[in-house]
C-alpha cells in the first residue's frame, strides 16, 4: 500500500494522504451527493469541497440543501458547470487550488444510453478526457495530488452462472453506457502511465439508497408501489445484480482517497447478489408490511415487460483487494439498507413530489438561470 508524505510518494503501510481542496464532479447526483454528505459528517475530513455539476435531469441541488445551509461558501462551493468546458474547468483548478478530484459526473442510465448514446460519449468520454487534461496542465509534475475516477462493474461485461469480476478481468463492455465508462477508465489509466498523473480507479456494483433518481430499478419500484402502478420487470426477471448501500460505496472511495495506491484499480461490491424478480418480490413484501397490507398485496403489480436490448445477465464482484489492502468493509446489511431506503422514499414526500412534478427543474432555473456559473 502506498501513501504520499510531504509530496514524496512512499509505499509505507498505513501512511495517509491528506487532500484539502477537492473537486467532486457530479456532486448533485445520487452517489455524488451522498458522498459529499458522507465527507462532511466524517471527522477525518477537514477540507473544502467544490461540487462541479452541470445539473442535467439527474442533477438535483435539492439533494444537498442541508449541506449548502451549513457549509455553503465556507467549506462547500457549488459550481454549475459542464465538465466538457475546458477553459472553465482549468480555471476552477486554479481558483480553488485543487489537490484532489473525485470524478462521479456521468450519464449513468443504461436504458437512456440505448436510446441516445450521444450524451454518454460527450460526458463520460470527452468530459473525463477534459478533466484529465486540466489536471495534467495545472498539476504538472505534482505528486501530492490525486485524481480518483469512479466507475462501474459493467465495464467487465456479463457473467454466466459462476465466476466473479476481478480487477484483472478483461474489459468487455456491452451497452453504450458501459462502453463509455470503459473508455473513460482506459483514458485515466493511460494518463497515469503516459504522463504520471496520480490516478486511482474504482469499479463498483449497483448502488441503492436515498436520493437516487427514480429511473433506476430500486427507487422506480418503490415509487410505483406507493402509487400502486405496475412494476415493470424486464425479460424473465432472472438477471442478477450485486447491490451495495450507497454509503458503503462512499466509505470505500474515501479510503481510496486517503490511502489508495496510485495507479491501482479497486473493485467495490456488496457481495449481495439478487435476481431482479426476487428483489422486486422482497420489496413488495416489505412495502406490504410497512403499509399493513397482505404479504402478496403489491406482487399483483409485477408486470413482465419486453427485455432491455443486450441486457447483461449477471454481475458479481470480487472485492477482496480493497478489503485486504485498505481495510474496507460493507457496514450496512441488505435488510437494514433496504428498510432504510424504502422508508426514506416514503417519508421524503417533498423530494419525491418535486421529481415527479419536475418542480426541481424550476428551482434550478430560478436559482441558476440555466447558465453556467463560475462564482456566486
Ligand atoms: P447520477 O446520474 O445520479 O448523477 C450524475 C451527476 O452528474 C448528475 O448530478 C449530473 O447532473 C452530473 N452530470 C452529468 N453530465 C455532466 C456534465 N457534462 N458536466 C457536469 N456534470 C454532469 O449518477 P450516479 O448514479 O450518482 O453515478 C455517479 C457515478 O458513479 C457515475 O460515474 C457512474 O458511472 C458511477 N457508478 C454508479 C453506480 C450506480 O449504481 N448508480 C454504480 C457504479 C458506478
Ligand atoms: P438499473 O437500476 O437500471 O441498473 P443497471 O442496468 O445499471 O444494472 O437496473 C437494475 C436491473 O433491473 C437491471 O437488470 C435491469 C432491471 N430493471 C427492470 O427489470 N425494470 C426496470 O424498470 C428497470 C429500471 C430496471
Amino acid at each position: 500500500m502506498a501513501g504520499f508524505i510531504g509530496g514524496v510518494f512512499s509505499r509505507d503501510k498505513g501512511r495517509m494522504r491528506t487532500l484539502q481542496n477537492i473537486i467532486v464532479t457530479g456532486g448533485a447526483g445520487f452517489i455524488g451527493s451522498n458522498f459529499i454528505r458522507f465527507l462532511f459528517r466524517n471527522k477525518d475530513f477537514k477540507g473544502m469541497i467544490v461540487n462541479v455539476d452541470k445539473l442535467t435531469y439527474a442533477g438535483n441541488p435539492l439533494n444537498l440543501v442541508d449541506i449548502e445551509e451549513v457549509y455553503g461558501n465556507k467549506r462547500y462551493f457549488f459550481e454549475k458547470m459542464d465538465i466538457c468546458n475546458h477553459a472553465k474547468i482549468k480555471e476552477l483548478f486554479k481558483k480553488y487550488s485543487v489537490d484532489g478530484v473525485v470524478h462521479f459526473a456521468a450519464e449513468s442510465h443504461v436504458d437512456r444510453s440505448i436510446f441516445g448514446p450521444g450524451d454518454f460519449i460527450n460526458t463520460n468520454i470527452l468530459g473525463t478526457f477534459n478533466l484529465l487534461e486540466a489536471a495534467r496542465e495545472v498539476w504538472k509534475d505534482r505528486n501530492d495530488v490525486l485524481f480518483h475516477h469512479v466507475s462501474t462493474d459493467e465495464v467487465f461485461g456479463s457473467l454466466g452462472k459462476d465466476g466473479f469480476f476481478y480487477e484483472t478481468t478483461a474489459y468487455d463492455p456491452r451497452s453504450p453506457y458501459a462502453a463509455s465508462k470503459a473508455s473513460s477508465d482506459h483514458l485515466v489509466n493511460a494518463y497515469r502511465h503516459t504522463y504520471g498523473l496520480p490516478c486511482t480507479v474504482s469499479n463498483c456494483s449497483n448502488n441503492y439508497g436515498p436520493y437516487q433518481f427514480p429511473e433506476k430499478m430500486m427507487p422506480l419500484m418503490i415509487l410505483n408501489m406507493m402509487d400502486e402502478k405496475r412494476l415493470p420487470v424486464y425479460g424473465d426477471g432472472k438477471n442478477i445484480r450485486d447491490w451495495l448501500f450507497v454509503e458503503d460505496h462512499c466509505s470505500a472511495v474515501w479510503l481510496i482517497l486517503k490511502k489508495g495506491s496510485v495507479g491501482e484499480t479497486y473493485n467495490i461490491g456488496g457481495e449481495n447478489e439478487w435476481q431482479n424478480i426476487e428483489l422486486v418480490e422482497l420489496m413488495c413484501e416489505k412495502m406490504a408490511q410497512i403499509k399493513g397490507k397482505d404479504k402478496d398485496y403489491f406482487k399483483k403489480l409485477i408486470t413482465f415487460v419486453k427485455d432491455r436490448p443486450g441486457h447483461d445477465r449477471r454481475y458479481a464482484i470480487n472485492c477482496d483487494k480493497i478489503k485486504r489492502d485498505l481495510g474496507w468493509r460493507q457496514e450496512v446489511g441488505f435488510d437494514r439498507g433496504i428498510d432504510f431506503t424504502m422508508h426514506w422514499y416514503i417519508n421524503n414526500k417533498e423530494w419525491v413530489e418535486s421529481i415527479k412534478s419536475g418542480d426541481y427543474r424550476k428551482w434550478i432555473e430560478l436559482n441558476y438561470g440555466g447558465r453556467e456559473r463560475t462564482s456566486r
Side-chain angles (χ1 to χ4, degrees), residues 86 90 94 130 132-140 197:
H86 185 72
K90 199 171 158 186
K94 292 182 182 156
N130 188 43
L132 288 165
E133 275 293 276
R136 179 166 81 93
E137 287 164 21
V138 177
W139 285 343
K140 298 212 166 60
L197 191 73

Side-chain angles (χ1 to χ4, degrees), residues 172-242:
D172 181 24
R174 294 147 52 101
S175 71
Y177 164 66
S180 67
K181 291 297 291 187
S183 177
S184 62
D185 294 11
H186 288 320
L187 279 170
V188 173
N189 287 325
Y191 270 64
R192 163 70 193 144
H193 285 284
T194 310
Y195 306 113
L197 191 73
C199 301
T200 44
V201 176
S202 54
N203 295 89
C204 187
S205 59
N206 287 57
N207 285 211
Y208 70 97
Y211 301 102
Q212 187 167 29
F213 195 81
E215 63 187 352
K216 303 280 167 56
M217 199 264 245
M218 230 193 253
L220 180 124
M221 296 297 172
I222 299 171
L223 265 52
N224 281 12
M225 277 185 240
M226 284 160 64
D227 290 343
E228 304 213 6
K229 284 190 187 158
R230 68 176 198 155
L231 309 174
V233 173
Y234 297 167
D236 64 3
K238 293 193 174 147
N239 300 67
I240 292 174
R241 295 293 181 267
D242 171 67

Side-chain angles (χ1 to χ4, degrees), residues 94-126:
K94 292 182 182 156
K95 178 176 166 188
Y96 292 101
S97 306
V98 169
D99 57 6
V101 173
V102 187
H103 178 31
F104 290 101
E107 288 293 335
S108 67
H109 189 40
V110 175
D111 293 325
R112 283 183 192 255
S113 83
I114 293 167
F115 293 110
D119 287 344
F120 289 72
I121 306 305
N122 280 330
T123 289
N124 300 2
I125 305 179
L126 296 178

Side-chain angles (χ1 to χ4, degrees), residues 334-351:
F334 198 47
D335 203 49
R336 185 156 71 91
I338 212 165
D339 277 348
F340 178 88
T341 302
M342 292 189 74
H343 280 103
W344 191 88
Y345 287 94
I346 292 167
N347 294 333
N348 283 274
K349 292 194 176 62
E350 221 176 298
W351 186 91

Side-chain angles (χ1 to χ4, degrees), residues 12 31 71 96 106 128 157 160 173 180 196 209 240-241 276 298 326 329 337 346 348-349 354 357 359 364 370:
D12 301 338
I31 308 176
Y71 300 103
Y96 292 101
T128 302
S180 67
I240 292 174
R241 295 293 181 267
N276 291 337
F298 289 100
L326 304 187
R329 292 278 175 281
I346 292 167
N348 283 274
K349 292 194 176 62
S354 76
S357 65
D359 273 358
I364 291 170

